Protein backbone atom coordinates (compact mmCIF):
# COMPACT_ATOMS: atom_id res chain seq x y z
CA UNK A 1 0.00 0.00 0.00
CA UNK A 2 2.78 2.44 0.87
CA UNK A 3 4.53 1.55 -2.39
CA UNK A 4 1.44 2.49 -4.38
CA UNK A 5 1.18 5.81 -2.55
CA UNK A 6 4.90 6.44 -3.07
CA UNK A 7 4.66 5.85 -6.81
CA UNK A 8 1.63 8.14 -7.12
CA UNK A 9 3.51 10.82 -5.18
CA UNK A 10 6.57 10.34 -7.39
CA UNK A 11 4.44 10.73 -10.51
CA UNK A 12 2.85 13.90 -9.12
CA UNK A 13 6.30 15.37 -8.43
CA UNK A 14 7.62 14.33 -11.89
CA UNK A 15 10.21 12.03 -10.27
CA UNK A 16 8.78 8.84 -11.77
CA UNK A 17 8.25 8.43 -15.50
CA UNK A 18 4.59 7.62 -16.12
CA UNK A 19 4.42 4.83 -18.69
CA UNK A 20 2.44 1.66 -19.41
CA UNK A 21 4.44 -0.51 -16.99
CA UNK A 22 3.99 1.89 -14.06
CA UNK A 23 0.28 2.30 -14.81
CA UNK A 24 -0.19 -1.47 -15.01
CA UNK A 25 1.61 -2.03 -11.71
CA UNK A 26 -0.46 0.69 -10.03
CA UNK A 27 -3.72 -0.83 -11.26
CA UNK A 28 -2.72 -4.39 -10.31
CA UNK A 29 -1.45 -3.24 -6.91
CA UNK A 30 -4.68 -1.42 -6.18
CA UNK A 31 -6.75 -4.45 -7.20
CA UNK A 32 -4.65 -6.71 -4.95
CA UNK A 33 -5.07 -4.35 -1.98
CA UNK A 34 -8.85 -4.29 -2.50
CA UNK A 35 -9.02 -8.10 -2.77
CA UNK A 36 -6.96 -8.53 0.39
CA UNK A 37 -9.29 -6.10 2.17
CA UNK A 38 -12.33 -8.16 1.17
CA UNK A 39 -10.62 -11.40 2.26
CA UNK A 40 -9.75 -9.94 5.66
CA UNK A 41 -13.31 -8.67 6.14
CA UNK A 42 -14.70 -12.10 5.22
CA UNK A 43 -12.40 -13.88 7.69
CA UNK A 44 -13.35 -11.43 10.45
CA UNK A 45 -17.02 -12.12 9.79
CA UNK A 46 -16.42 -15.89 10.00
CA UNK A 47 -14.48 -15.40 13.25
CA UNK A 48 -17.30 -13.36 14.77
CA UNK A 49 -19.84 -16.06 13.83
CA UNK A 50 -17.69 -18.75 15.45
CA UNK A 51 -17.24 -16.66 18.60
CA UNK A 52 -21.02 -16.22 18.83
CA UNK A 53 -21.50 -19.99 18.49
CA UNK A 54 -18.97 -20.66 21.25
CA UNK A 55 -20.66 -18.14 23.55
CA UNK A 56 -24.06 -19.77 22.95
CA UNK A 57 -22.62 -23.23 23.68
CA UNK A 58 -21.11 -21.94 26.92
CA UNK A 59 -24.50 -20.71 28.13
CA UNK A 60 -26.21 -24.04 27.52
Amino acid sequence: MSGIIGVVFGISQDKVKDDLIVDTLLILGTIVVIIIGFLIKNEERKRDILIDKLEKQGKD
Side-chain angles (χ1 to χ4, degrees):
M1 182 71 151
S2 63
I4 294 170
I5 294 170
V7 171
V8 170
F9 180 75
I11 291 170
S12 71
Q13 299 296 314
D14 291 329
K15 303 288 183 185
V16 175
K17 182 180 176 188
D18 187 23
D19 58 3
L20 182 63
I21 295 173
V22 172
D23 290 340
T24 304
L25 290 174
L26 283 173
I27 291 168
L28 290 175
T30 303
I31 290 170
V32 168
V33 167
I34 291 170
I35 290 171
I36 290 173
F38 281 124
L39 291 172
I40 290 172
K41 186 70 174 172
N42 189 31
E43 291 298 320
E44 287 177 347
R45 186 182 55 81
K46 288 179 185 178
R47 181 198 63 202
D48 291 341
I49 290 170
L50 290 172
I51 289 173
D52 289 341
K53 285 182 181 178
L54 283 173
E55 288 175 350
K56 288 179 183 177
Q57 285 179 357
K59 292 180 181 178
D60 292 341

